[in-house]
Amino acid sequence: MKKTCIGITGILSLCLLLSSCGGRNQKMDPEMIPVRENDKTLFLDLSGKVVLEVENNNVWYFSEGVALFWEDGRYGYINKKGKTVIDPQYKYATSFQEGIAWVVAENGHPQAINPKGKVLFTLEQATKVNAFRDGLAVFETEDEEGKTLYGCVNKSGKVVIAPQENELSDFSEGKAPIRSSDNKKKGYVNKKGEIVINCQFDDAGDFSSHGYACVEFGGQ
């Protein structure tokens, strides 16, 4: 009887459409630990007790009360009772974060949906979209010459940072790392896209809730 614990690192890296729905940006429910067992997925609490059994071994971890699953070539979502709450209908999909997930239908554009499956808005210009963090989602698009541009959208679907050449990362604590297209150094912008810490670092990480971020400068 083979059992495999499902990891949460980059489980849906969707080329050209959606960024990974796992990894450091996602919050897995610690009371619903997924374990694959043959053709099933078992969910365990922290004591190791099975709290849910699903007759599908392509179910991911729970995030914000629902879990992504794969069936007949499409993605859908189940709740903690194992009931399908959003039918499998998407070619690509991510887990929920901050109340929103990104999905792509056949030949469609990235769409933001709520946990009931309602489409909140469509991001037609995006070639790649990150999960929402700190109320904003970073996206990529291309100019007429095929050059990658980076922008940012809020939960209402409004583009709050217009696509530009500087490489933009996810927000945390009101700031996001940005890499200058000129000197290739990193600094930070606020939610208006204004540079608040000059691009001077070789690398720059997220700000924590304590108000600090790690940066690399001169090899240190």
Side-chain angles (χ1 to χ4, degrees):
M1 183 178 296
K2 184 178 180 180
K3 294 184 179 181
T4 305
C5 185
I6 301 173
I8 61 170
T9 55
I11 60 176
L12 281 181
S13 182
L14 305 178
C15 181
L16 298 181
L17 286 172
L18 302 175
S19 66
S20 65
C21 75
R24 65 182 178 88
N25 293 350
Q26 294 296 312
K27 295 181 179 179
M28 182 180 75
D29 188 334
E31 294 291 342
M32 301 286 288
I33 302 169
V35 177
R36 287 177 178 154
E37 181 183 85
N38 300 323
D39 59 350
K40 301 178 182 179
T41 303
L42 308 179
F43 287 88
L44 285 58
D45 62 17
L46 293 177
S47 70
K49 178 184 177 180
V50 175
V51 293
L52 177 64
E53 182 176 313
V54 182
E55 297 291 333
N56 184 332
N57 66 356
N58 285 310
V59 185
W60 279 262
Y61 59 89
F62 276 88
S63 175
E64 302 192 4
V66 294
L68 193 65
F69 74 93
W70 169 267
E71 183 177 282
D72 297 329
R74 290 291 182 267
Y75 290 100
Y77 298 85
I78 62 171
N79 62 18
K80 289 186 176 182
K81 295 181 179 180
K83 179 182 178 181
T84 298
V85 291
I86 300 177
D87 292 332
Q89 57 189 291
Y90 305 113
K91 184 177 181 180
Y92 303 116
T94 71
S95 295
F96 278 87
Q97 181 151 315
E98 298 190 5
I100 294 176
W102 290 102
V103 297
V104 179
E106 189 72 34
N107 300 318
H109 299 285
Q111 293 182 314
I113 64 170
N114 67 16
K116 294 183 178 180
K118 179 183 178 181
V119 176
L120 304 176
F121 60 89
T122 301
L123 202 57
E124 295 186 3
Q125 67 190 109
T127 56
K128 183 179 179 180
V129 183
N130 290 3
F132 274 92
R133 290 191 68 201
D134 207 8
L136 299 176
V138 174
F139 68 89
E140 295 180 16
T141 185
E142 294 180 351
D143 63 14
E144 296 179 352
E145 299 177 352
K147 182 180 297 183
T148 300
L149 304 177
Y150 301 85
C152 201
V153 64
N154 66 17
K155 291 184 178 182
S156 297
K158 179 182 178 181
V159 175
V160 294
I161 298 179
Q164 37 80 37
E165 292 185 16
N166 297 326
E167 183 181 348
L168 185 63
S169 299
D170 294 326
F171 276 85
S172 63
E173 301 300 314
K175 299 180 182 64
I178 191 167
R179 186 181 296 279
S180 170
S181 60
D182 294 327
N183 65 7
K184 307 303 179 184
K185 298 291 185 179
K186 278 192 172 185
Y188 291 88
V189 295
N190 62 20
K191 290 186 174 183
K192 295 180 180 180
E194 301 166 336
I195 293 180
V196 292
I197 299 178
N198 289 333
C199 295
Q200 56 191 296
F201 309 113
D202 298 326
D203 203 359
D206 296 341
F207 271 89
S208 73
S209 59
H210 300 290
Y212 294 95
C214 290
V215 298
E216 181 179 333
F217 183 76
Q220 301 294 322

